[in-house]
Amino acid sequence: MTWTSLNAGIALPEIFLLCATCALLLIDLFVSDARRGVTHVLALLVLAVTGVLLYAGYTSAPQLAFSDMFVADPIATLAKGGMVLGVALVLIYGRSYAADRGIFKGELYSLTLFSLAGMMVMASAVNLLTLYVGLELLSLSLYALVALQRDSVNATESAMKYFVLGALASGMLLYGMSMVYGATGSLNVLEIGHRLLVGEGNRLLAVFGLVFVVTGIAFKLGAVPFHMWVPDVYHGAPTVITQLIGSAPKLAAYAFIIRLLAQALEGFAPDWRGMLIVLAVLSLAIGNLSAIAQTNIKRMFAYSTISHMGFLLLGILVANPVGYSASFFYAFTYVLTAAAGFGLVMLLARNGFEADQLDDYKGLARKHPWFGFMMLMVMFSMAGIPVFVGFFAKLAVLKAVVNLGLVWLAVFAVMMSLIGAFYYLRVVKVMYFDEPAGEITLSGSLFAKVVLSLNCLALLVLGLFPNTLLTALADAVSFSLPL
């Protein structure tokens, strides 16, 4: 093996991100609290350069590196672009929020960037060990970020619960991966897929491994019945961290599923389709029904996330490029929608006030019509109301499910979406028709407000012109999966 054979150049965005994050960690040691804004600007600069490197390295032909453990293909590159954007929105929206709560520190930026590195490794990993390393880098960073507000009992409790359940999920996933390795004799995702398709290896052992792999994935996605950590972590974590957990990692989870199920275990599609149908049905039902009872908007978003993950699984279980591209579109647009939703929650929050109760939004549209309208667009998009991008994301997934012949499943998903529309429209009703309970003030810089407005307007623009993004993601799937 030589340096040339490693072909390390295709991993330049990840290499730069890791080196720059380590440098940022050192620089932050010499920055006083009063000048912490320097760290913030440098972190955004690191994200901008990473995005440029991703764009410069985009190629439609998949390229392997590091002894076939790492791949740069269109799925990975576009997913990473969405992750970088999602993390940048977290840092932009969360600056004032973090400063008010004493977590405007170097740890916030370094751990956030390390979590991004984990996500990017997950997107490009084509080896079971590399996939696991990327997942753990993401998970460990998130555990620490949830506990960043150390004087908060809720945050500490949530971090502990997240850590314990996350460790359990990691153990199951690792156990499943070890069974797949034992059955096929390979850790390479592409080699595993080939051997299972031609009938080599121990099929029974691989099926047992598949069960644990799907269970681990369901834990990480927060799909029912492995969703117990989601509401408590969303509620207990500082909102800036909740935004991080609820946005960019969804794209990493999508790429993770594609590597494991669509590439390594493609030959078992009829087996994992049945399991995903159960997970999707339970997630859509429990997520939407539980969200109705919530009066805390962060818990409401948590249960709605569970139902959205049900929709994501609907596209995956179709097990063909149409379904995979529909799920990719769903995950991509969900990152933008969730970022806007949590950004608006932080905009209304101030020191000592979290703005996490539905009553806190009473009369928002009268006091601040523009941001009331922005929240309306977010709610309409999440509910899947036409013109907004959420509608086309759900439509793409449902079309793929119907084409597979699972009409009953599509009808069930539509019914659950109608139930879900109730709690989204309740937020709109509170903003537009209820009297303000008190003074409503907005925090955040002008830059954050402008970016947040553009983020919300993007939900409308992408809804008016969904085909450009949908076609790009469909092409990415078709270029990547024949590898």
Side-chain angles (χ1 to χ4, degrees):
M1 182 187 298
T2 64
W3 283 107
T4 307
S5 67
L6 285 178
N7 197 20
I10 69 166
L12 189 58
E14 286 82 359
I15 294 171
F16 168 78
L17 176 63
L18 282 171
C19 294
T21 305
C22 293
L24 187 68
L25 198 60
L26 291 175
I27 292 170
D28 185 72
L29 292 174
F30 302 97
V31 175
S32 64
D33 288 342
R35 302 186 64 188
R36 193 66 68 192
V38 173
T39 310
H40 178 81
V41 172
L42 286 176
L44 289 177
L45 190 61
V46 168
L47 291 175
V49 175
T50 304
V52 170
L53 291 174
L54 283 171
Y55 178 76
Y58 181 83
T59 172
S60 58
Q63 298 181 59
L64 292 164
F66 298 106
S67 302
D68 297 346
M69 298 177 75
F70 187 95
V71 66
D73 60 13
I75 284 183
T77 306
L78 289 181
K80 289 175 197 173
M83 295 169 198
V84 171
L85 177 61
V87 170
L89 294 177
V90 170
L91 298 185
I92 292 170
Y93 300 159
R95 175 174 175 165
S96 296
Y97 179 92
D100 287 344
R101 284 151 188 81
I103 55 174
F104 190 53
K105 303 172 181 175
E107 295 95 310
L108 173 65
Y109 296 98
S110 53
L111 287 170
T112 300
L113 294 180
F114 277 129
S115 72
L116 174 62
M119 293 181 226
M120 292 174 67
V121 170
M122 285 170 67
S124 277
V126 281
N127 182 285
L128 296 185
L129 286 181
T130 318
L131 276 169
Y132 189 73
V133 167
L135 177 66
E136 286 307 292
L137 180 55
L138 167 64
S139 300
L140 292 173
S141 302
L142 292 181
Y143 302 150
L145 281 168
V146 172
L148 201 57
Q149 202 170 7
R150 278 170 281 187
D151 56 350
S152 167
V153 175
N154 284 340
T156 309
E157 185 182 329
S158 299
M160 184 60 72
K161 181 175 286 188
Y162 195 19
F163 173 72
V164 172
L165 293 178
L168 182 63
S170 292
M172 287 192 176
L173 190 63
L174 196 58
Y175 192 50
M177 286 178 171
S178 66
M179 283 189 176
V180 172
Y181 171 68
T184 61
S186 175
L187 289 170
N188 186 282
V189 163
L190 308 175
E191 185 66 28
I192 291 169
H194 172 71
R195 291 185 184 182
L196 291 176
L197 278 177
V198 299
E200 293 180 7
N202 187 326
R203 189 174 178 84
L204 182 62
L205 186 57
V207 169
F208 272 110
L210 170 67
V211 173
F212 283 97
V213 166
V214 171
T215 303
I217 289 173
F219 255 115
K220 294 297 180 185
L221 274 179
V224 178
F226 309 107
H227 64 292
M228 316 75 122
W229 62 271
V230 181
D232 291 339
V233 171
Y234 270 50
H235 185 196
T239 307
V240 61
I241 308 303
T242 309
Q243 182 188 341
L244 176 62
I245 295 171
S247 56
K250 305 306 180 194
L251 272 171
Y254 167 80
F256 191 75
I257 294 172
I258 289 294
R259 301 296 179 208
L260 279 176
L261 297 187
Q263 289 189 301
L265 299 170
E266 182 189 6
F268 289 146
D271 299 290
W272 52 256
R273 175 179 293 145
M275 288 188 272
L276 294 194
I277 287 176
V278 173
L279 292 173
V281 167
L282 290 175
S283 300
L284 287 167
I286 303 295
N288 282 310
L289 293 174
S290 301
I292 291 174
Q294 306 305 317
T295 57
N296 182 293
I297 198 163
K298 287 171 71 176
R299 294 187 76 87
M300 190 194 85
F301 278 149
Y303 281 108
S304 81
T305 297
I306 293 168
S307 70
H308 285 294
M309 290 306 100
F311 254 101
L312 182 76
L313 291 175
L314 286 182
I316 299 289
L317 66 86
V318 174
N320 64 31
V322 176
Y324 297 146
S325 57
S327 279
F328 200 4
F329 185 71
Y330 201 97
F332 211 100
T333 55
Y334 182 74
V335 169
L336 292 175
T337 312
F342 286 112
L344 285 162
V345 172
M346 283 191 282
L347 186 68
L348 266 68
R350 54 186 182 274
N351 196 10
F353 177 70
E354 289 294 328
D356 59 356
Q357 298 296 321
L358 284 180
D359 287 348
D360 298 333
Y361 294 80
K362 285 183 176 178
L364 173 64
R366 298 184 192 182
K367 295 285 186 180
H368 302 282
W370 176 251
F371 288 102
F373 181 59
M374 295 295 105
M375 182 62 104
L376 176 144
M377 289 201 290
V378 172
M379 292 297 114
F380 277 15
S381 186
M382 283 192 175
I385 291 175
V387 181
F388 295 96
V389 71
F391 168 76
F392 292 98
K394 290 182 192 295
L395 183 64
V397 168
L398 292 174
K399 282 170 69 177
V401 172
V402 169
N403 288 338
L404 186 65
L406 295 173
V407 178
W408 69 269
L409 188 55
V411 171
F412 178 78
V414 171
M415 290 174 61
M416 289 300 110
S417 293
L418 291 174
I419 292 173
F422 169 79
Y423 55 83
Y424 292 124
L425 294 179
R426 183 174 58 186
V427 177
V428 176
K429 175 256 178 190
V430 165
M431 290 191 303
Y432 278 86
F433 298 104
D434 287 3
E435 291 294 330
E439 188 64 25
I440 301 177
T441 58
L442 302 181
S443 61
S445 64
L446 177 61
F447 177 63
K449 290 174 183 173
V450 171
V451 174
L452 183 54
S453 300
L454 293 175
N455 185 177
C456 296
L457 290 171
L459 305 180
L460 177 60
V461 174
L462 285 172
L464 292 172
F465 307 101
N467 286 337
T468 304
L469 179 59
L470 189 53
T471 303
L473 298 180
D475 289 344
V477 170
S478 62
F479 288 143
S480 303
L481 289 189
L483 182 68

